Amino acid sequence: MSFPLLTTTAALPAVGAVVTAAVPAARRLAAKYTALAFSLGTLVLAIVALVRFDPHGDRYQLTESHTWVKSFGLHYDLGVDGIAVVMVALTAVLIPFVMLAGWHDADPLEGPVPDSGSAAGPNRPLPSARKPLDWRPTQGFFALILLVEAMVVLSFEATDVFLFYIFFEAMLIPMYFLIGGFGDRAHASGEEEAARQRSYAAVKFLLYNLVGGLIMLAAVIGLYAATADQLGTGTFSLQEILTARAAGHLDLSTTTERWLFLGFFFAFAVKAPLWPLHTWLPNAMGESTAPIAVLITAVVDKVGTFAMLRFCLQLFPDASKWATPVILVLAVISIIYGALLAVGQRDIKRLIAYASVSHFGFIILGIFAMTSQGQSGATLYMVNHGISTAALMLVAGFLITRRGSRLIDDFGGVQKVAPVLAGTFMVGGLATLSLPGLAPFVSEFLVLVGTFSRHPVLGIVATLGIVLAALYVLVLYQRTMTGPVKAGIEGMADLKARELLVVAPLIALLLFLGVYPKPVADIVNPSVQHTLSDVHKTDPKPALEAKK
């Protein structure tokens, strides 16, 4: 029996969560290093899976299959294709940086938390100060992050629909506590208002995603009933369903397939998030600490777009093509709407949140363009957006912690007192606007090329998002980093060694994947071709070739 690599990759952070939570309350530093060690161990296993994966081999590799509940057709089925193995690697790469960036976010230090509109000064405590909080232990904070990692990894690995659903929903619980219990405590109206806003954001996040999950559950049960009706025995196994359909033993009616598709897609569109189901994201990211905001948008939300590729397109190919026109329009609206709202934001974290809504619009546009360039670009976009958003948001978090404010108007002239911080903030911002030479440019270019080849009007409108991205990023940099040094900025410290350890590797990845995306593209492209064949789509021929 081969080594269960995928199970171990997901189980290690889960075990780490238990071990970290069990560390005695007084040994906070030991808890941090324990959690970090488990996250690094998970990264090693993810790299091993990436190395062992053969892009030209079987579609699903490193597979594990065990009967779970035979009478209900439940299986513990794991397997990764090129897209899944890359997403597992992205998750494993980002979690250690999230932990290092949030190293002191749950420390119960003495002293009141200043209002976000106030500046630290001789008579004020440092913005990073905390009141003693026995209910928010360091151990719990890091254990919850590891728990989220375990559930996200299993979601990427699961090839049983019901197994996927369990972890797709279960990850909401630790995220709820991370947002509500460990969120941003600075607010212009004081700490009491900050607590209220955190609670509101956490509940909104949970309710939106639970509603989507409940609708998906109905669709999952419907899929089981449909397979039981036609195959004699119900199943949730993705590979069994695809095999039965290819052999002609499973043929869903048009109406049934469309309803089931809508149930799955709705849940994934909430998670993604796609306009108009996006409204929970700005609240959740705005009221979270910067590392948890990265966990939301760079890790958890990627499960939604990944699931569109794995489940919507593979299980319901005809319904996916039927819904494509509407989904493409919604994706373009997300691109423009998110960018426009980002331009008008006064809060740094909410600006980045609305920018993410715009970027997820590009990802969904690439998925449903139904071209190899579009879907390859969408997959690369998931990776590159995770890295670029992590870089920008984490540097923004360091900036906000120093000033004690999220408001753009409270900053100015930072580059004169903290040039390294300002420089890394600029690189993160330029990656967000997809500057050539940085990783997101390649993916955004492929998405637009793939969209334009089949839907030229939507491709042209979507390019407006690039122009607006340049506007909100450059205006943000100009207002916070340039100009005269504002009051409260004079003594701002530059990035420290731990913070540089977080930011430097992310910037290195942005540069490397910006000039040489081939390693990732070579892994995902065969899986993209498999997905296109599932929906019976081929790339459109160029107009000149078609005329010949």
Side-chain angles (χ1 to χ4, degrees), residues 358-419:
S358 182
H359 294 151
F360 274 101
F362 276 109
I363 294 171
I364 296 170
L365 184 70
I367 291 171
F368 285 90
M370 301 292 185
T371 60
S372 59
Q373 300 99 324
Q375 291 191 357
S376 293
T379 305
L380 288 173
Y381 214 132
M382 286 191 273
V383 175
N384 296 334
H385 171 263
I387 299 169
S388 63
T389 300
L392 181 61
M393 178 60 87
L394 293 179
V395 177
F398 299 148
L399 182 70
I400 290 166
T401 299
R402 283 161 166 74
R403 179 64 176 85
S405 173
R406 306 188 325 232
L407 301 179
I408 296 173
D409 290 342
D410 288 339
F411 295 89
V414 173
Q415 67 181 13
K416 296 178 181 177
V417 296

Short mmCIF file of all heavy atoms in Angstrom, two decimals, residues 358-419:
data_model
loop_
_atom_site.label_atom_id
_atom_site.label_comp_id
_atom_site.label_asym_id
_atom_site.label_seq_id
_atom_site.Cartn_x
_atom_site.Cartn_y
_atom_site.Cartn_z
N SER A 358 -13.06 42.62 -7.97
CA SER A 358 -12.75 42.83 -9.39
C SER A 358 -11.89 41.71 -9.94
O SER A 358 -12.14 41.18 -11.03
CB SER A 358 -12.04 44.18 -9.56
OG SER A 358 -11.77 44.45 -10.92
N HIS A 359 -10.88 41.29 -9.19
CA HIS A 359 -9.98 40.23 -9.65
C HIS A 359 -10.69 38.88 -9.76
O HIS A 359 -10.43 38.12 -10.69
CB HIS A 359 -8.79 40.12 -8.70
CG HIS A 359 -7.92 41.34 -8.72
ND1 HIS A 359 -7.18 41.76 -7.64
CD2 HIS A 359 -7.70 42.25 -9.69
CE1 HIS A 359 -6.54 42.87 -7.95
NE2 HIS A 359 -6.84 43.19 -9.18
N PHE A 360 -11.59 38.60 -8.83
CA PHE A 360 -12.34 37.36 -8.93
C PHE A 360 -13.25 37.38 -10.16
O PHE A 360 -13.56 36.34 -10.73
CB PHE A 360 -13.14 37.10 -7.66
CG PHE A 360 -12.35 36.40 -6.59
CD1 PHE A 360 -11.81 37.09 -5.52
CD2 PHE A 360 -12.15 35.03 -6.66
CE1 PHE A 360 -11.07 36.44 -4.55
CE2 PHE A 360 -11.41 34.36 -5.69
CZ PHE A 360 -10.87 35.07 -4.63
N GLY A 361 -13.70 38.56 -10.54
CA GLY A 361 -14.45 38.68 -11.79
C GLY A 361 -13.63 38.22 -12.98
O GLY A 361 -14.13 37.51 -13.87
N PHE A 362 -12.35 38.60 -13.01
CA PHE A 362 -11.46 38.14 -14.08
C PHE A 362 -11.31 36.62 -14.06
O PHE A 362 -11.30 35.97 -15.11
CB PHE A 362 -10.08 38.79 -13.94
CG PHE A 362 -9.98 40.15 -14.54
CD1 PHE A 362 -9.86 41.28 -13.74
CD2 PHE A 362 -9.98 40.32 -15.92
CE1 PHE A 362 -9.75 42.54 -14.29
CE2 PHE A 362 -9.88 41.58 -16.48
CZ PHE A 362 -9.76 42.70 -15.67
N ILE A 363 -11.17 36.04 -12.86
CA ILE A 363 -11.00 34.59 -12.76
C ILE A 363 -12.23 33.87 -13.32
O ILE A 363 -12.11 32.92 -14.12
CB ILE A 363 -10.75 34.18 -11.30
CG1 ILE A 363 -9.40 34.75 -10.81
CG2 ILE A 363 -10.76 32.66 -11.15
CD1 ILE A 363 -9.17 34.59 -9.32
N ILE A 364 -13.42 34.29 -12.91
CA ILE A 364 -14.65 33.64 -13.37
C ILE A 364 -14.86 33.89 -14.85
O ILE A 364 -15.34 33.01 -15.59
CB ILE A 364 -15.84 34.13 -12.53
CG1 ILE A 364 -15.65 33.71 -11.07
CG2 ILE A 364 -17.16 33.58 -13.07
CD1 ILE A 364 -16.62 34.32 -10.09
N LEU A 365 -14.48 35.06 -15.33
CA LEU A 365 -14.55 35.35 -16.77
C LEU A 365 -13.70 34.35 -17.55
O LEU A 365 -14.13 33.81 -18.58
CB LEU A 365 -14.06 36.77 -17.03
CG LEU A 365 -14.16 37.29 -18.48
CD1 LEU A 365 -15.61 37.51 -18.87
CD2 LEU A 365 -13.38 38.60 -18.61
N GLY A 366 -12.49 34.09 -17.07
CA GLY A 366 -11.61 33.14 -17.75
C GLY A 366 -12.15 31.72 -17.72
O GLY A 366 -12.05 30.98 -18.71
N ILE A 367 -12.75 31.32 -16.59
CA ILE A 367 -13.29 29.96 -16.48
C ILE A 367 -14.40 29.73 -17.49
O ILE A 367 -14.42 28.72 -18.19
CB ILE A 367 -13.80 29.70 -15.05
CG1 ILE A 367 -12.63 29.65 -14.06
CG2 ILE A 367 -14.62 28.41 -14.98
CD1 ILE A 367 -13.06 29.61 -12.60
N PHE A 368 -15.32 30.68 -17.59
CA PHE A 368 -16.50 30.48 -18.44
C PHE A 368 -16.33 31.04 -19.84
O PHE A 368 -17.28 30.99 -20.63
CB PHE A 368 -17.74 31.05 -17.75
CG PHE A 368 -18.23 30.18 -16.63
CD1 PHE A 368 -17.76 30.36 -15.33
CD2 PHE A 368 -19.12 29.15 -16.88
CE1 PHE A 368 -18.18 29.54 -14.30
CE2 PHE A 368 -19.55 28.32 -15.85
CZ PHE A 368 -19.09 28.51 -14.56
N ALA A 369 -15.15 31.55 -20.17
CA ALA A 369 -14.87 31.88 -21.57
C ALA A 369 -14.80 30.60 -22.40
O ALA A 369 -14.95 30.64 -23.63
CB ALA A 369 -13.56 32.65 -21.68
N MET A 370 -14.55 29.47 -21.74
CA MET A 370 -14.51 28.15 -22.38
C MET A 370 -13.44 28.08 -23.46
O MET A 370 -13.65 27.54 -24.55
CB MET A 370 -15.88 27.79 -22.98
CG MET A 370 -17.01 27.75 -22.00
SD MET A 370 -16.86 26.39 -20.82
CE MET A 370 -18.40 26.55 -19.92
N THR A 371 -12.27 28.65 -23.17
CA THR A 371 -11.12 28.54 -24.06
C THR A 371 -9.92 28.10 -23.22
O THR A 371 -9.89 28.30 -22.00
CB THR A 371 -10.78 29.88 -24.74
OG1 THR A 371 -10.49 30.86 -23.73
CG2 THR A 371 -11.93 30.38 -25.61
N SER A 372 -8.94 27.50 -23.88
CA SER A 372 -7.76 27.03 -23.13
C SER A 372 -6.99 28.21 -22.55
O SER A 372 -6.50 28.13 -21.41
CB SER A 372 -6.86 26.19 -24.03
OG SER A 372 -6.42 26.94 -25.15
N GLN A 373 -6.89 29.32 -23.31
CA GLN A 373 -6.19 30.49 -22.78
C GLN A 373 -6.92 31.05 -21.57
O GLN A 373 -6.31 31.43 -20.56
CB GLN A 373 -6.04 31.59 -23.84
CG GLN A 373 -5.28 31.18 -25.07
CD GLN A 373 -6.23 30.80 -26.20
OE1 GLN A 373 -7.29 30.23 -25.96
NE2 GLN A 373 -5.83 31.11 -27.42
N GLY A 374 -8.26 31.13 -21.67
CA GLY A 374 -9.04 31.69 -20.58
C GLY A 374 -8.94 30.87 -19.31
O GLY A 374 -8.72 31.41 -18.22
N GLN A 375 -9.08 29.55 -19.43
CA GLN A 375 -9.05 28.71 -18.23
C GLN A 375 -7.64 28.56 -17.67
O GLN A 375 -7.45 28.50 -16.45
CB GLN A 375 -9.67 27.35 -18.54
CG GLN A 375 -11.18 27.44 -18.76
CD GLN A 375 -11.86 26.10 -18.81
OE1 GLN A 375 -11.22 25.05 -18.72
NE2 GLN A 375 -13.17 26.11 -18.95
N SER A 376 -6.63 28.51 -18.54
CA SER A 376 -5.25 28.51 -18.04
C SER A 376 -4.96 29.82 -17.32
O SER A 376 -4.35 29.84 -16.25
CB SER A 376 -4.26 28.31 -19.19
OG SER A 376 -4.38 27.03 -19.75
N GLY A 377 -5.41 30.93 -17.92
CA GLY A 377 -5.22 32.23 -17.29
C GLY A 377 -5.95 32.33 -15.97
O GLY A 377 -5.43 32.89 -15.00
N ALA A 378 -7.18 31.77 -15.90
CA ALA A 378 -7.94 31.81 -14.65
C ALA A 378 -7.24 31.03 -13.55
O ALA A 378 -7.19 31.47 -12.39
CB ALA A 378 -9.35 31.24 -14.89
N THR A 379 -6.68 29.86 -13.91
CA THR A 379 -5.97 29.07 -12.91
C THR A 379 -4.71 29.78 -12.44
O THR A 379 -4.41 29.84 -11.24
CB THR A 379 -5.60 27.69 -13.49
OG1 THR A 379 -6.79 27.05 -13.97
CG2 THR A 379 -4.96 26.82 -12.43
N LEU A 380 -3.94 30.34 -13.40
CA LEU A 380 -2.76 31.11 -13.01
C LEU A 380 -3.16 32.34 -12.19
O LEU A 380 -2.45 32.74 -11.26
CB LEU A 380 -2.00 31.56 -14.27
CG LEU A 380 -1.24 30.48 -15.03
CD1 LEU A 380 -0.70 31.04 -16.34
CD2 LEU A 380 -0.10 29.92 -14.19
N TYR A 381 -4.31 32.92 -12.53
CA TYR A 381 -4.80 34.10 -11.79
C TYR A 381 -5.08 33.75 -10.33
O TYR A 381 -4.82 34.55 -9.41
CB TYR A 381 -6.07 34.64 -12.45
CG TYR A 381 -6.21 36.14 -12.39
CD1 TYR A 381 -6.54 36.88 -13.52
CD2 TYR A 381 -6.04 36.85 -11.20
CE1 TYR A 381 -6.67 38.25 -13.48
CE2 TYR A 381 -6.19 38.22 -11.14
CZ TYR A 381 -6.50 38.91 -12.29
OH TYR A 381 -6.63 40.28 -12.24
N MET A 382 -5.63 32.55 -10.09
CA MET A 382 -5.89 32.14 -8.71
C MET A 382 -4.58 32.10 -7.91
O MET A 382 -4.54 32.53 -6.75
CB MET A 382 -6.56 30.76 -8.70
CG MET A 382 -8.02 30.79 -9.11
SD MET A 382 -8.88 29.23 -8.78
CE MET A 382 -8.53 28.31 -10.27
N VAL A 383 -3.53 31.59 -8.55
CA VAL A 383 -2.23 31.53 -7.88
C VAL A 383 -1.65 32.93 -7.71
O VAL A 383 -1.25 33.33 -6.61
CB VAL A 383 -1.27 30.64 -8.69
CG1 VAL A 383 0.13 30.66 -8.06
CG2 VAL A 383 -1.79 29.22 -8.77
N ASN A 384 -1.60 33.67 -8.80
CA ASN A 384 -0.95 34.99 -8.77
C ASN A 384 -1.70 35.99 -7.92
O ASN A 384 -1.08 36.83 -7.24
CB ASN A 384 -0.79 35.51 -10.21
CG ASN A 384 0.12 34.63 -11.04
OD1 ASN A 384 0.99 33.95 -10.52
ND2 ASN A 384 -0.08 34.63 -12.35
N HIS A 385 -3.03 35.94 -7.94
CA HIS A 385 -3.81 36.83 -7.08
C HIS A 385 -3.55 36.51 -5.62
O HIS A 385 -3.45 37.41 -4.77
CB HIS A 385 -5.30 36.69 -7.39
CG HIS A 385 -6.18 37.41 -6.42
ND1 HIS A 385 -6.80 36.78 -5.35
CD2 HIS A 385 -6.55 38.72 -6.33
CE1 HIS A 385 -7.50 37.66 -4.66
NE2 HIS A 385 -7.36 38.84 -5.23
N GLY A 386 -3.42 35.22 -5.30
CA GLY A 386 -3.12 34.85 -3.92
C GLY A 386 -1.81 35.45 -3.44
O GLY A 386 -1.73 35.98 -2.32
N ILE A 387 -0.80 35.41 -4.30
CA ILE A 387 0.52 35.94 -3.91
C ILE A 387 0.52 37.46 -3.87
O ILE A 387 1.01 38.08 -2.92
CB ILE A 387 1.60 35.43 -4.89
CG1 ILE A 387 1.66 33.90 -4.85
CG2 ILE A 387 2.97 36.02 -4.54
CD1 ILE A 387 2.51 33.30 -5.96
N SER A 388 -0.05 38.11 -4.90
CA SER A 388 -0.02 39.57 -4.97
C SER A 388 -0.88 40.21 -3.87
O SER A 388 -0.48 41.21 -3.25
CB SER A 388 -0.48 40.06 -6.35
OG SER A 388 -1.83 39.69 -6.60
N THR A 389 -2.05 39.63 -3.62
CA THR A 389 -2.91 40.18 -2.57
C THR A 389 -2.28 39.98 -1.20
O THR A 389 -2.38 40.85 -0.33
CB THR A 389 -4.30 39.51 -2.62
OG1 THR A 389 -4.90 39.78 -3.88
CG2 THR A 389 -5.20 40.06 -1.52
N ALA A 390 -1.63 38.82 -1.02
CA ALA A 390 -0.92 38.60 0.25
C ALA A 390 0.16 39.66 0.46
O ALA A 390 0.29 40.23 1.55
CB ALA A 390 -0.31 37.20 0.27
N ALA A 391 0.93 39.92 -0.59
CA ALA A 391 2.00 40.92 -0.47
C ALA A 391 1.45 42.30 -0.13
O ALA A 391 1.91 42.96 0.81
CB ALA A 391 2.81 40.97 -1.76
N LEU A 392 0.42 42.73 -0.88
CA LEU A 392 -0.13 44.07 -0.68
C LEU A 392 -0.82 44.19 0.67
O LEU A 392 -0.60 45.15 1.42
CB LEU A 392 -1.10 44.41 -1.81
CG LEU A 392 -1.74 45.80 -1.73
CD1 LEU A 392 -0.69 46.90 -1.80
CD2 LEU A 392 -2.77 45.98 -2.85
N MET A 393 -1.66 43.22 1.01
CA MET A 393 -2.44 43.31 2.25
C MET A 393 -1.55 43.20 3.48
O MET A 393 -1.76 43.91 4.48
CB MET A 393 -3.51 42.23 2.27
CG MET A 393 -4.35 42.21 3.54
SD MET A 393 -5.26 43.75 3.86
CE MET A 393 -6.76 43.45 2.93
N LEU A 394 -0.54 42.34 3.45
CA LEU A 394 0.31 42.19 4.62
C LEU A 394 1.16 43.44 4.86
O LEU A 394 1.33 43.87 6.00
CB LEU A 394 1.20 40.96 4.48
CG LEU A 394 0.45 39.61 4.50
CD1 LEU A 394 1.41 38.45 4.32
CD2 LEU A 394 -0.36 39.45 5.78
N VAL A 395 1.68 44.05 3.78
CA VAL A 395 2.40 45.31 3.95
C VAL A 395 1.45 46.40 4.44
O VAL A 395 1.80 47.21 5.31
CB VAL A 395 3.09 45.73 2.63
CG1 VAL A 395 3.78 47.09 2.81
CG2 VAL A 395 4.11 44.70 2.20
N ALA A 396 0.22 46.41 3.90
CA ALA A 396 -0.78 47.37 4.38
C ALA A 396 -1.07 47.15 5.86
O ALA A 396 -1.25 48.10 6.63
CB ALA A 396 -2.07 47.23 3.57
N GLY A 397 -1.08 45.88 6.28
CA GLY A 397 -1.29 45.58 7.70
C GLY A 397 -0.17 46.12 8.57
O GLY A 397 -0.42 46.67 9.65
N PHE A 398 1.08 45.97 8.11
CA PHE A 398 2.21 46.53 8.86
C PHE A 398 2.08 48.05 8.97
O PHE A 398 2.37 48.64 10.02
CB PHE A 398 3.53 46.19 8.18
CG PHE A 398 3.80 44.71 8.06
CD1 PHE A 398 4.51 44.19 6.99
CD2 PHE A 398 3.34 43.83 9.03
CE1 PHE A 398 4.76 42.83 6.88
CE2 PHE A 398 3.59 42.46 8.94
CZ PHE A 398 4.30 41.96 7.85
N LEU A 399 1.62 48.66 7.88
CA LEU A 399 1.43 50.12 7.85
C LEU A 399 0.34 50.55 8.84
O LEU A 399 0.52 51.49 9.62
CB LEU A 399 1.07 50.54 6.42
CG LEU A 399 0.88 52.02 6.13
CD1 LEU A 399 2.22 52.75 6.20
CD2 LEU A 399 0.24 52.22 4.75
N ILE A 400 -0.78 49.84 8.81
CA ILE A 400 -1.92 50.18 9.67
C ILE A 400 -1.57 49.99 11.14
O ILE A 400 -1.93 50.81 11.99
CB ILE A 400 -3.14 49.31 9.27
CG1 ILE A 400 -3.66 49.74 7.90
CG2 ILE A 400 -4.24 49.41 10.32
CD1 ILE A 400 -4.62 48.75 7.27
N THR A 401 -0.83 48.94 11.46
CA THR A 401 -0.43 48.68 12.84
C THR A 401 0.44 49.81 13.38
O THR A 401 0.28 50.23 14.54
CB THR A 401 0.34 47.35 12.94
OG1 THR A 401 -0.52 46.29 12.51
CG2 THR A 401 0.79 47.08 14.36
N ARG A 402 1.32 50.33 12.55
CA ARG A 402 2.21 51.41 13.00
C ARG A 402 1.45 52.70 13.25
O ARG A 402 1.75 53.44 14.18
CB ARG A 402 3.30 51.66 11.93
CG ARG A 402 4.40 50.60 11.95
CD ARG A 402 5.18 50.61 10.64
NE ARG A 402 6.42 49.85 10.73
CZ ARG A 402 6.51 48.53 10.78
NH1 ARG A 402 5.40 47.80 10.73
NH2 ARG A 402 7.70 47.93 10.86
N ARG A 403 0.46 52.97 12.43
CA ARG A 403 -0.26 54.24 12.53
C ARG A 403 -1.48 54.15 13.45
O ARG A 403 -1.95 55.16 13.99
CB ARG A 403 -0.69 54.69 11.12
CG ARG A 403 -1.48 55.99 11.05
CD ARG A 403 -0.63 57.16 11.53
NE ARG A 403 -1.35 58.42 11.37
CZ ARG A 403 -2.22 58.91 12.25
NH1 ARG A 403 -2.49 58.25 13.38
NH2 ARG A 403 -2.83 60.06 12.03
N GLY A 404 -2.04 52.92 13.59
CA GLY A 404 -3.25 52.77 14.38
C GLY A 404 -4.49 53.22 13.65
O GLY A 404 -5.50 53.54 14.27
N SER A 405 -4.43 53.27 12.31
CA SER A 405 -5.57 53.72 11.52
C SER A 405 -5.60 53.01 10.18
O SER A 405 -4.56 52.71 9.61
CB SER A 405 -5.48 55.24 11.29
OG SER A 405 -6.50 55.66 10.39
N ARG A 406 -6.82 52.76 9.70
CA ARG A 406 -7.00 52.19 8.36
C ARG A 406 -7.35 53.26 7.33
O ARG A 406 -7.47 52.97 6.14
CB ARG A 406 -8.13 51.15 8.37
CG ARG A 406 -7.95 50.08 9.41
CD ARG A 406 -8.94 48.94 9.31
NE ARG A 406 -10.28 49.27 8.91
CZ ARG A 406 -11.38 48.90 9.57
NH1 ARG A 406 -11.26 48.26 10.72
NH2 ARG A 406 -12.57 49.19 9.12
N LEU A 407 -7.57 54.48 7.78
CA LEU A 407 -8.04 55.53 6.89
C LEU A 407 -6.90 56.10 6.05
O LEU A 407 -5.85 56.48 6.58
CB LEU A 407 -8.71 56.65 7.69
CG LEU A 407 -9.91 56.22 8.54
CD1 LEU A 407 -10.46 57.42 9.29
CD2 LEU A 407 -10.99 55.58 7.66
N ILE A 408 -7.12 56.21 4.75
CA ILE A 408 -6.09 56.70 3.83
C ILE A 408 -5.69 58.13 4.18
O ILE A 408 -4.52 58.50 4.09
CB ILE A 408 -6.62 56.62 2.38
CG1 ILE A 408 -6.87 55.16 1.99
CG2 ILE A 408 -5.64 57.27 1.41
CD1 ILE A 408 -7.55 54.97 0.65
N ASP A 409 -6.66 58.93 4.61
CA ASP A 409 -6.37 60.34 4.91
C ASP A 409 -5.44 60.53 6.10
O ASP A 409 -4.89 61.62 6.29
CB ASP A 409 -7.68 61.09 5.19
CG ASP A 409 -8.54 61.25 3.94
OD1 ASP A 409 -7.98 61.11 2.82
OD2 ASP A 409 -9.75 61.49 4.07
N ASP A 410 -5.26 59.50 6.90
CA ASP A 410 -4.37 59.62 8.05
C ASP A 410 -2.91 59.36 7.71
O ASP A 410 -2.05 59.40 8.59
CB ASP A 410 -4.80 58.64 9.16
CG ASP A 410 -6.08 59.07 9.84
OD1 ASP A 410 -6.42 60.27 9.76
OD2 ASP A 410 -6.75 58.22 10.46
N PHE A 411 -2.63 59.08 6.44
CA PHE A 411 -1.26 58.78 6.01
C PHE A 411 -0.77 59.87 5.04
O PHE A 411 -1.55 60.62 4.48
CB PHE A 411 -1.19 57.42 5.32
CG PHE A 411 -1.50 56.27 6.23
CD1 PHE A 411 -2.81 55.82 6.39
CD2 PHE A 411 -0.50 55.64 6.94
CE1 PHE A 411 -3.10 54.77 7.23
CE2 PHE A 411 -0.78 54.58 7.79
CZ PHE A 411 -2.08 54.15 7.92
N GLY A 412 0.53 59.88 4.84
CA GLY A 412 1.15 60.82 3.92
C GLY A 412 2.63 60.93 4.20
O GLY A 412 3.05 61.02 5.35
N GLY A 413 3.43 60.85 3.15
CA GLY A 413 4.87 61.00 3.29
C GLY A 413 5.58 59.81 3.90
O GLY A 413 6.71 59.94 4.38
N VAL A 414 4.96 58.63 3.86
CA VAL A 414 5.56 57.45 4.50
C VAL A 414 6.90 57.09 3.86
O VAL A 414 7.83 56.65 4.55
CB VAL A 414 4.58 56.25 4.45
CG1 VAL A 414 5.26 54.98 4.95
CG2 VAL A 414 3.33 56.54 5.26
N GLN A 415 7.03 57.29 2.55
CA GLN A 415 8.27 56.89 1.87
C GLN A 415 9.50 57.66 2.37
O GLN A 415 10.63 57.20 2.23
CB GLN A 415 8.13 57.05 0.36
CG GLN A 415 8.00 58.48 -0.12
CD GLN A 415 7.83 58.56 -1.64
OE1 GLN A 415 7.58 57.55 -2.28
NE2 GLN A 415 7.98 59.75 -2.19
N LYS A 416 9.28 58.82 3.01
CA LYS A 416 10.39 59.60 3.52
C LYS A 416 10.92 59.07 4.86
O LYS A 416 12.09 59.27 5.18
CB LYS A 416 9.97 61.06 3.69
CG LYS A 416 9.62 61.74 2.36
CD LYS A 416 9.15 63.17 2.58
CE LYS A 416 8.78 63.82 1.24
NZ LYS A 416 8.25 65.18 1.43
N VAL A 417 10.06 58.39 5.61
CA VAL A 417 10.48 57.89 6.93
C VAL A 417 10.62 56.37 6.96
O VAL A 417 11.32 55.82 7.81
CB VAL A 417 9.48 58.34 8.02
CG1 VAL A 417 9.49 59.85 8.17
CG2 VAL A 417 8.08 57.84 7.75
N ALA A 418 9.95 55.67 6.03
CA ALA A 418 10.02 54.20 5.98
C ALA A 418 10.12 53.76 4.51
O ALA A 418 9.16 53.23 3.95
CB ALA A 418 8.81 53.58 6.66
N PRO A 419 11.27 53.99 3.88
CA PRO A 419 11.38 53.74 2.43
C PRO A 419 11.22 52.28 2.02
O PRO A 419 10.68 51.99 0.96
CB PRO A 419 12.79 54.24 2.10
CG PRO A 419 13.53 54.26 3.41
CD PRO A 419 12.51 54.55 4.44
#
